[in-house]
Amino acid sequence: MAARSLLGARAKLAVAASALGGGAVASTIATSDDPAMAIKLCTNVPIRLIRDTVTAASIAYDYEYSLWGLPEGSLERSKVKHEVHLRSAHKLQELCFKNGGIYIKLGQHIGQLEYLVPQEYVQIMRESMLNKCPVSSYDQVCEVIKKELGEEPEKIFSEFDPVPIASASLAQVHVARTHDGQKVAVKVQHTHMTDTAAADHAIVEFIVNSLHWIFPSFDYRWLIDEMSESLPKELDFLIEAKNSEKCLYNFQRLSPHIANYVYVPRVYWTLSTSKLLTMEFIDGAQINDVKTIWRLGLQPKEVSTLVSQAFAEMMFKHGFVHCDPHAANLFVRPLPSSRRTILGKRKPQLILLDHGLYKDLDFHTRTNYAALWKALIFSDAAAIKEYSVKLGAGEDLYALFAGILTMRPWNRVVDPAVDHLVIQGNESDRSELQMYASQYFAQISELLRRLPRVILLMLKTNDCLRAVNNDLLQGSSLESFLIIGKVSSEAIIEAKMLQRKSFLCWLYVWLDEVLLEARLLGMQIALWLLQLKKALTW
């Protein structure tokens, strides 16, 4: 019966896909002003649609058929489910690589959803989607550069390496040298992104909606809504260039105490367009390349602390947040002005790359988000509920929202222990997270549907940063949470100072600040004692 129902579902999906494909082809031919492009779309889009449909139906059928009749909670079911997860993750990976573009972005996002998808998907997507993206041919690169700048790359630059040093979902990067001798990185948009982005988005939206229609518990429509808003901005590299300059300006103006430790490559505006971005070339180690980080004289723990500080400043003080901080977009190098200590150590400088996806947090969202994180750090259950509700989680799902932000169950979230939010990154922690993800799948889906899109992007940013910390430290650190607590609390105090003008109000805020410093000092002392205990135990 289950197999028959799945076959019926596959038939529904195939019929609907055929109708959509036929309609898309007819519409494209009828309305196109570019016959060559129309032919290209009419040959590529149906193939991609069929590929999507077959993959989605194959995965759905595999789950239903393989698990049919196996008792819930049995060892046999767990073993078979693990095997199906692996097969399905590889099918999805293959689909993303074949279609490229928006599908790679989707795969990257799935790789961050530890709280929503099985670990097999997270691991396979995270390992493959960041550094193994499809590469455009050199002829395609030349086509884009000539169209955007009017000449072949050999004439625009004195040197241009035809082999890219990196390829991402939307573009790839080539090393070049300007005629005045400056070494630059040239980011060139993949041609297929321009050609099929709108059609790909429509197809992915159709597949997700169809799967939700067939399997109501599968609801990823919120992700499509977010991509609808963010993808057009990411495809305009001039927006990315402006974002990068605004980011650096914010650190210099609002966070001068760490401005020297955060760097953004300079943009060459005369060699940049909406599909081509020329930037200063920066040597450095990718943030998850721990061996190179050690070799440069840097400490992974200091790097992790700097990453936490930089993004806490962006989220709680700037209100202008880099929302795609995965490992391929974060580099680190020794601070140029620093010298090696006697022990060979140097201070780190964080290099922020790929500024296509930013989000503005309005004053109320920013202060509520800061207040929520302050409450999480200090285990304040009443405040956690208050600010979770204000951010859209609702009276019924605030505890789940806190759990997703911290990746800790509620009893740990409100535990008064100083290290209550620290994740060790071991197998026990991962198993616990997957258990909660499976147990509360429906509630998590409802929460993600309910939250404002800006908060969804904060969740994505949070997930990326957690993955970076895990690469650097095999877990999270208490120092990072202390920094988040400090910066979020400072942001709240600054907000109160702006709103309260009388002397008494100023005195109240000042006393609040003194109390905060005392609490942070207490946590710092507790941290030192924990470190001393570990050292003595070792």
Side-chain angles (χ1 to χ4, degrees), residues 269-284:
W269 286 96
T270 57
L271 297 174
S272 299
T273 71
S274 62
K275 295 178 177 61
L276 185 76
L277 183 58
T278 304
M279 304 160 287
E280 171 188 8
F281 182 87
I282 301 291
D283 271 317

Side-chain angles (χ1 to χ4, degrees), residues 275-515:
K275 295 178 177 61
L276 185 76
L277 183 58
T278 304
M279 304 160 287
E280 171 188 8
F281 182 87
I282 301 291
D283 271 317
Q286 194 166 295
I287 203 76
N288 61 352
D289 187 355
V290 178
K291 288 184 179 179
T292 303
I293 288 173
W294 279 113
R295 186 170 52 79
L296 292 172
L298 306 176
Q299 309 297 303
K301 200 168 189 177
E302 286 190 15
V303 174
S304 170
T305 299
L306 177 56
V307 171
S308 298
Q309 174 104 38
F311 279 87
E313 297 280 336
M314 278 192 268
M315 286 187 283
F316 306 135
K317 292 187 177 181
H318 304 177
F320 186 66
V321 187
H322 186 310
C323 291
D324 201 16
H326 58 67
N329 290 340
L330 302 179
F331 275 52
V332 64
R333 67 177 179 181
L335 183 68
S337 60
S338 72
R339 295 183 179 180
R340 285 184 182 268
T341 65
I342 296 175
L343 298 176
K345 298 179 181 179
R346 295 187 67 180
K347 292 289 185 182
Q349 186 181 56
L350 179 65
I351 313 297
L352 298 175
L353 304 175
D354 195 347
H355 300 265
L357 184 57
Y358 270 74
K359 207 68 178 181
D360 283 297
L361 299 180
D362 62 62
F363 178 80
H364 291 292
T365 301
R366 178 168 62 84
T367 52
N368 285 333
Y369 193 58
L372 174 57
W373 267 107
K374 178 187 175 184
L376 290 167
I377 301 301
F378 292 121
S379 308
D380 186 341
I384 291 171
K385 179 177 181 180
E386 177 186 353
Y387 292 104
S388 294
V389 171
K390 285 184 177 180
L391 288 168
E395 295 274 351
D396 54 334
L397 295 178
Y398 72 90
L400 185 61
F401 184 37
I404 287 177
L405 280 170
T406 61
M407 300 299 279
R408 302 278 76 187
W410 178 250
N411 64 319
R412 288 295 304 274
V413 170
V414 295
D415 189 331
V418 68
D419 59 345
H420 67 292
L421 297 182
V422 175
I423 299 174
Q424 300 302 327
N426 53 33
E427 192 60 41
S428 174
D429 271 343
R430 281 191 289 271
S431 298
E432 185 179 32
L433 292 175
Q434 287 302 308
M435 180 189 73
Y436 280 102
S438 175
Q439 187 175 352
Y440 295 106
F441 179 86
Q443 293 92 327
I444 292 172
S445 296
E446 169 60 21
L447 176 65
L448 297 178
R449 185 198 64 78
R450 184 185 296 180
L451 291 171
R453 284 207 294 270
V454 65
I455 299 300
L456 291 176
L457 271 183
M458 291 304 99
L459 289 178
K460 180 194 175 190
T461 303
N462 199 38
D463 295 338
C464 289
L465 294 174
R466 186 182 295 111
V468 166
N469 267 318
N470 191 60
D471 288 332
L472 288 168
L473 306 174
Q474 294 303 303
S476 55
S477 70
L478 185 53
E479 288 93 334
S480 294
F481 286 114
L482 285 175
I483 287 169
I484 293 170
K486 187 174 190 300
V487 178
S488 61
S489 300
E490 289 172 351
I492 296 166
I493 289 170
E494 289 172 7
K496 288 178 179 177
M497 292 292 284
L498 289 173
Q499 294 175 314
R500 297 173 179 178
K501 305 297 183 182
S502 71
F503 174 76
L504 285 177
C505 289
W506 177 86
L507 182 61
Y508 171 79
V509 173
W510 179 79
L511 289 172
D512 196 24
E513 187 173 6
V514 171
L515 179 61

